[in-house]
Amino acid sequence: MDPQTGKLALGSVQIPMPRSRIGRIVIGLALIVCGTLGFLPILGFWMLPLGFLVLSQDLPFVRRQRRKLACWWARRRRARNGR
């Protein structure tokens, strides 16, 4: 999340986020709850990682888990490219 603009940057896409911590937590939880209903037509499982990404901005536990996942992913990619 870019602290100057208050937007969540995913590659070249920027999503505006609320400046309040409570607003971001509510949006993150709503994305996760709706993501569990991914079998429905409009909702999708893509909402789960996005919800965790939004929550990782404010909750230290989620941030640590995201960082562990990012490190694991980088090691995995490095091992595949090294073959």
Side-chain angles (χ1 to χ4, degrees):
M1 188 151 135
D2 187 8
Q4 294 173 344
T5 62
K7 295 182 180 180
L8 181 66
L10 300 170
S12 61
V13 178
Q14 291 189 350
I15 303 168
M17 297 302 300
R19 296 226 182 245
S20 72
R21 181 176 191 248
I22 293 174
R24 288 189 302 269
I25 290 173
V26 168
I27 287 175
L29 290 175
L31 283 167
I32 291 172
V33 169
C34 292
T36 60
L37 303 172
F39 57 88
L40 296 174
I42 295 180
L43 305 174
F45 294 113
W46 59 270
M47 295 173 132
L48 287 170
L50 186 59
F52 284 115
L53 187 64
V54 170
L55 283 179
S56 72
Q57 300 301 315
D58 295 307
L59 301 178
F61 174 74
V62 180
R63 187 178 315 127
R64 282 191 296 272
Q65 298 304 317
R66 178 182 52 100
R67 180 66 183 150
K68 285 181 184 179
L69 179 66
C71 291
W72 172 80
W73 188 260
R75 282 193 308 270
R76 183 173 182 250
R77 289 190 57 157
R78 209 174 315 126
R80 281 190 172 198
N81 290 336
R83 289 183 187 175

